[in-house]
Amino acid sequence: MCIRDRPLTYKYPSLVSAARTFMETSKTLDIPLMMIEASKRTMGETAKEILEVKHPKVVQFEKTCFSCLDNPAIHTAIKQMNPKDIVLYGMEAHACVLFTTLDLSLIH
């Protein structure tokens, strides 16, 4: 959730709050978390309210395409984690979340 989108996004504070809750819950339950950010150069920084949550098992990546799996490092990390389930969340359900879901359905 990029700060660049803050003024344009409906209920932005609620989305950031939900992301924080998701991160805090995964931290409490000791669930590994991959945080994948859109290119900071083009989209801006991730909201500081999200980055404030310190999760010991978070692995961060940057992506430049809609699907996270277009980044070979992310694809490899998912294979190495070999998760039983994957939960996706993000602001662009019609783009990034959708394309990542479609790509995951091909490999998982």
Side-chain angles (χ1 to χ4, degrees), residues 72-92:
I74 296 170
H75 193 190
T76 299
I78 291 171
K79 281 184 164 181
Q80 289 174 344
M81 291 172 89
N82 193 27
K84 179 182 171 200
D85 298 299
I86 296 176
V87 177
L88 302 174
Y89 72 95
M91 288 179 56
E92 302 286 340

Side-chain angles (χ1 to χ4, degrees), residues 3-105:
I3 56 174
R4 179 192 80 136
D5 296 333
R6 184 181 305 259
L8 305 172
T9 303
Y10 179 71
K11 294 194 175 187
Y12 185 88
S14 295
L15 294 173
V16 170
S17 177
R20 283 183 58 95
T21 300
F22 186 80
M23 289 184 70
E24 289 166 351
T25 301
S26 67
K27 177 181 172 182
T28 301
L29 298 174
D30 198 34
I31 298 171
L33 179 72
M34 294 177 74
M35 183 172 159
I36 302 166
E37 303 171 280
S39 172
K40 293 177 186 175
R41 187 173 48 96
T42 57
M43 298 301 290
E45 295 289 327
T46 296
K48 69 177 178 13
E49 300 92 339
I50 296 171
L51 297 174
E52 288 171 349
V53 178
K54 301 301 179 205
H55 188 306
K57 290 189 175 180
V58 70
V59 181
Q60 288 184 265
F61 293 96
E62 190 171 303
K63 68 180 187 75
T64 56
C65 298
F66 287 137
S67 174
C68 294
L69 296 183
D70 286 339
N71 178 330
I74 296 170
H75 193 190
T76 299
I78 291 171
K79 281 184 164 181
Q80 289 174 344
M81 291 172 89
N82 193 27
K84 179 182 171 200
D85 298 299
I86 296 176
V87 177
L88 302 174
Y89 72 95
M91 288 179 56
E92 302 286 340
H94 65 287
C96 300
V97 175
L98 172 63
F99 283 96
T100 299
T101 301
L102 293 173
D103 283 349
L104 282 169
S105 73

